[in-house]
Amino acid sequence: TQLLEQSPQFLSIQEGENLTVYCNSSSVFSSLQWYRQEPGEGPVLLVTVVTGGEVKKLKRLTFQFGDARKDSSLHITAAQPGDTGLYLCAGGPKAGGTSYGKLTFGQGTILTVHP
Amino acid sequence: SQTIHQWPATLVQPVGSPLSLECTVEGTSNPNLYWYRQAAGRGLQLLFYSVGIGQISSEVPQNLSASRPQDRQFILSSKKLLLSDSGFYLCAWSEGLVSYNEQFFGPGTRLTVL
């Protein structure tokens, strides 16, 4: 069974601060996705990384996939109150099998950005 | 464009009562469909997935079952609810069979079993 460990579980910061959320596993993943979820709603995809060492930027958000494709990080620069939410990483199983699009989700990081 | 619907949005049921949650997808054909359960503010646990009509795979043993009577309809059911069935239930769909296809989530159903 593949597991994804997210840290920290909770993050409470002031507007303008930087933060990093980590997603780690002992397993290799074919891809790593990051989702953001607001209370009472379904998760919304932020980014997908599929190549070891890949870095993607989405405005103030920077996503990185580890070289060995076992870990990933999400860095937010100058956080804003609108960034508040639950951030979830999700890994696709190692290539070679029939994955049926199944993802393994981390336990999530609850981010609160205070104005 | 594709849309995904879930209903009801909220549900309060007594222990031992039956359950039926429905999910429908519009604007796509032969999607992969998924049912997840989420504890408050936590990650998603995959319950069932389906790659076609009548094809259901269960991820964890539990008090729930799923059915896919039509291509774009996915139903989550229980004959007798337990207190532990409370949670936020999410339906999702994706295209194709590769793991890095984006999953699109519905708005969810908040189930409280009393």
Side-chain angles (χ1 to χ4, degrees):
Chain A
T1 302
Q2 294 181 307
L3 295 175
L4 272 172
E5 297 288 337
Q6 259 187 263
S7 62
Q9 293 184 35
F10 302 93
L11 200 50
S12 180
I13 61 173
Q14 294 297 126
E15 182 176 3
E17 293 184 8
N18 302 331
L19 66 109
T20 302
V21 178
Y22 299 93
C23 187
N24 296 294
S25 176
S26 59
S27 303
V28 175
F29 290 95
S30 59
S31 66
L32 210 298
Q33 300 181 355
W34 285 91
Y35 291 81
R36 178 171 170 269
Q37 183 180 20
E38 299 201 22
E41 299 182 7
V44 176
L45 181 73
L46 296 174
V47 76
T48 299
V49 285
V50 298
T51 305
E54 183 176 2
V55 177
K56 281 192 175 180
K57 292 189 176 182
L58 183 65
K59 296 184 180 179
R60 295 177 293 102
L61 279 61
T62 301
F63 306 85
Q64 186 165 7
F65 201 12
D67 292 340
R69 293 187 297 164
K70 294 182 179 180
D71 54 86
S72 181
S73 64
L74 157 61
H75 182 78
I76 300 179
T77 303
Q80 299 177 359
D83 295 326
T84 293
L86 174 67
Y87 289 81
L88 296 160
C89 63
K94 184 179 179 181
T98 304
S99 67
Y100 298 116
K102 289 165 54 180
L103 298 173
T104 298
F105 280 83
Q107 287 304 297
T109 296
I110 298 176
L111 170 65
T112 305
V113 182
H114 302 279
Chain B
S1 63
Q2 301 92 352
T3 55
I4 178 169
H5 305 279
Q6 283 186 248
W7 63 90
T10 60
L11 192 59
V12 180
Q13 292 285 92
V15 170
S17 64
L19 173 74
S20 181
L21 303 182
E22 189 164 343
C23 170
T24 59
V25 181
E26 297 177 355
T28 187
S29 296
N30 197 30
N32 299 324
L33 296 172
Y34 311 86
W35 277 112
Y36 291 91
R37 178 167 58 202
Q38 185 179 32
R42 307 314 292 156
L44 278 62
Q45 179 188 33
L46 180 63
L47 302 176
F48 301 95
Y49 68 92
S50 171
V51 300
I53 295 174
Q55 300 179 58
I56 309 294
S57 294
S58 174
E59 284 297 290
V60 293
Q62 57 211 326
N63 186 42
L64 303 169
S65 62
S67 62
R68 185 170 177 174
Q70 301 180 42
D71 181 44
R72 289 169 289 177
Q73 183 184 31
F74 206 20
I75 297 172
L76 184 69
S77 304
S78 174
K79 293 182 178 179
K80 290 185 177 181
L81 284 169
L82 306 172
L83 287 174
S84 58
D85 291 324
S86 293
F88 191 49
Y89 288 83
L90 288 159
C91 179
W93 72 273
S94 70
E95 294 181 352
L97 298 179
V98 293
S99 63
Y100 50 83
N101 280 350
E102 176 179 1
Q103 288 194 12
F104 299 88
F105 287 85
T109 295
R110 173 76 57 195
L111 172 65
T112 303
V113 182
L114 302 176

